[in-house]
Amino acid sequence: MRKKIVAGNWKMNMTFEEGQILTSEIVNMYKDENIKDVVAILNPPFPHIFPVKKLVGDVSGVKIGAQNCSDKASGAFTGEVSAKILASFGVEYVIIGHSERREYFHEGNELLAVKVKEALAHGLKPIFCCGESLDIRTAGTHEPNVKFQLTESLFDLSPEDFSKVVIAYEPIWAIGTGKTATAEQAQEMHAALRRHIASKYGKDIAAETSILYGGSCNPKNAQEIFSKEDVDGGLIGGASLKSRDFMDIIKSF
Ligand code: PEP
């Protein structure tokens, strides 16, 4: 059975105090509301990682992720944070290839392939983001476009390494826009990506790969999207900054 996952991407939001309050609320609700079969991943900005981890404590279903890591192992790279450093702070997941990193920081498929390998080499599980722009969706070439992102950045991995990767399908036109893909559009792409994974790694690994949907997911639309066969959860931006909304999304399965 593949994992159900809801990951919150705080992006560049939350002061120290705000992050502590949000984390405490989420952890308390996760325990009080008896969540059992959904892994919640908090992906705060780097300075929050250590205090957030401390607050989460031993609540086993709540994990810590980073929003990025360096492609370099260590050394004179001012401002960068390596996978090795993240792992040493108890980080378990790292978002790689978010469309904002691709667009604003010019991260391409080749660089992302290096980051994925660096993360895996230090025991981090990559949450690999892929997705098409509105132009590509309008042109109808979204399926080959997104498959290509997987091929270029992931398909060099051994089957063992690939099975540690979580995929997040995030159509760029739906991120932070309030415009969600329909549940049918999400299902169609998730199924296509799963078939693509099966063509490279076989049906068993494909069936075990969690594929998350991201793009204006909220408590109102999550249930319909998560009800689709190939949707295994969500990568949540805006709605992850409000504890009740984030928990209601977790409870949408
Ligand atoms: C994201 O940034 O990954 C995201 C899905 O954002 P939002 O939920 O705000 O659209």
Side-chain angles (χ1 to χ4, degrees):
M1 269 287 282
R2 52 186 178 256
K3 273 194 196 114
K4 293 176 186 163
I5 297 172
V6 175
N9 176 11
W10 296 8
K11 309 195 184 187
M12 201 171 70
N13 294 299
M14 296 278 135
T15 61
F16 171 69
E17 200 183 349
E18 289 164 347
Q20 292 283 281
I21 293 169
L22 177 62
T23 306
S24 306
E25 288 175 355
I26 290 171
V27 170
N28 288 335
M29 290 178 193
Y30 191 92
K31 285 192 292 195
D32 294 347
E33 295 170 29
N34 211 16
I35 311 293
K36 290 258 176 279
D37 59 347
V38 184
V39 177
I41 308 173
L42 307 181
N43 299 267
F46 289 133
H48 286 273
I49 284 174
F50 189 59
V52 164
K53 170 112 183 107
K54 267 185 117 173
L55 268 185
V56 170
D58 60 1
V59 180
S60 65
V62 182
K63 311 285 186 190
I64 313 296
Q67 296 173 20
N68 181 31
C69 70
S70 176
D71 58 312
K72 306 289 195 298
S74 65
F77 300 101
T78 302
E80 288 289 273
V81 178
S82 69
K84 185 177 181 181
I85 294 172
L86 292 171
S88 75
F89 279 90
V91 171
E92 287 183 58
Y93 291 84
V94 58
I95 298 172
I96 292 181
H98 191 281
S99 61
E100 288 151 16
R101 302 281 331 162
R102 292 177 189 260
E103 182 178 353
Y104 306 139
F105 302 95
H106 313 292
E107 297 190 359
N109 294 334
E110 237 173 82
L111 175 82
L112 298 175
V114 180
K115 288 192 176 200
V116 166
K117 284 191 182 147
E118 196 52 38
L120 288 164
H122 295 284
L124 301 181
K125 299 181 196 78
I127 301 173
F128 180 79
C129 299
C130 56
E132 80 284 358
S133 65
L134 185 58
D135 283 353
I136 289 171
R137 169 64 65 164
T138 310
T141 51
H142 44 287
E143 198 178 303
N145 179 275
V146 178
K147 283 180 175 172
F148 185 70
Q149 293 172 3
L150 262 63
T151 307
E152 292 288 288
S153 298
L154 300 179
F155 281 10
D156 236 12
L157 297 175
S158 66
E160 195 194 341
D161 273 347
F162 184 86
S163 28
K164 294 169 190 149
V165 176
V166 174
I167 307 288
Y169 168 61
E170 301 206 298
I172 299 167
W173 46 272
I175 296 179
T177 58
K179 199 173 169 191
T180 327
T182 63
E184 288 70 29
Q185 284 173 321
Q187 168 58 25
E188 196 179 53
M189 278 303 290
H190 284 224
L193 292 176
R194 205 178 298 286
R195 285 195 300 274
H196 190 49
I197 294 165
S199 73
K200 169 74 183 169
Y201 292 103
K203 277 203 169 135
D204 290 352
I205 287 183
E208 286 299 309
T209 303
S210 295
I211 307 181
L212 315 183
Y213 167 79
S216 297
C217 196
N218 61 46
K220 289 202 179 88
N221 59 32
Q223 193 169 12
E224 196 188 348
I225 297 170
F226 293 0
S227 71
K228 294 295 177 189
E229 193 185 334
D230 288 289
V231 179
D232 307 308
L235 178 54
I236 318 297
S240 74
L241 302 177
K242 291 188 187 134
S243 53
R244 189 65 264 164
D245 284 359
F246 188 60
M247 286 309 299
D248 285 346
I249 293 172
I250 289 177
K251 292 170 85 176
S252 297
F253 278 102

